[in-house]
Amino acid sequence: MKTLRSPLHPTTGTEVMSQLLEATQSECQVQRTLQRIEGMFQEHESLGRHASKLKITVQESKVVLGGTLPSLELRRQLVPSIRQAGVLWRIDNNVAVEKPASVARAS
């Protein structure tokens, strides 16, 4: 983290330490949140099978879900399962449902 010093508002060591502490606490919260989500995938067998198809990031105090799942039902289970794992942050569910393979029509 880079701190700019202004002649009008000199940065004190206490201010710098406070900023570093806030950044560290925020990082810890992000890591705990991601660990809770990872634990949910270990517990939730049907969602856990598809965890590798999902991308989970934390952006500005919200969890952003991306990737694909094979069914709408699994997509619907995703956010409530994350909530049950104790994640109370805002969740943006951008997960798409995979299109089923084309079925050949009988003539």
Side-chain angles (χ1 to χ4, degrees):
M1 176 169 55
K2 191 172 188 177
T3 304
L4 299 176
R5 292 182 184 224
S6 162
L8 298 176
H9 302 287
T11 302
T12 65
T14 304
E15 289 172 341
V16 171
M17 290 303 294
S18 177
Q19 290 171 350
L20 287 172
L21 183 58
E22 284 179 28
T24 302
Q25 288 173 337
S26 179
E27 262 184 47
C28 288
Q29 289 174 337
V30 167
Q31 287 303 320
R32 280 194 304 268
T33 297
L34 293 173
Q35 287 172 346
R36 286 182 177 139
I37 293 171
E38 184 179 318
M40 177 276 299
F41 282 120
Q42 292 171 355
E43 296 291 321
H44 198 290
E45 185 179 329
S46 55
L47 281 172
R49 279 186 254 142
H50 305 286
S52 64
K53 296 179 182 180
L54 299 175
K55 181 178 179 185
I56 301 166
T57 58
V58 175
Q59 301 171 2
E60 300 176 11
S61 297
K62 68 180 173 182
V63 176
V64 180
L65 308 174
T68 59
L69 286 172
S71 72
L72 184 58
E73 182 56 34
L74 284 175
R75 185 183 187 280
R76 286 182 183 145
Q77 292 176 21
L78 190 55
V79 172
S81 296
I82 291 172
R83 291 275 185 239
Q84 285 180 340
V87 176
L88 303 177
W89 294 18
R90 179 175 164 201
I91 299 174
D92 287 351
N93 188 354
N94 301 320
V95 174
V97 176
E98 295 171 1
K99 294 180 181 175
S102 300
V103 178
R105 290 184 151 180
S107 303

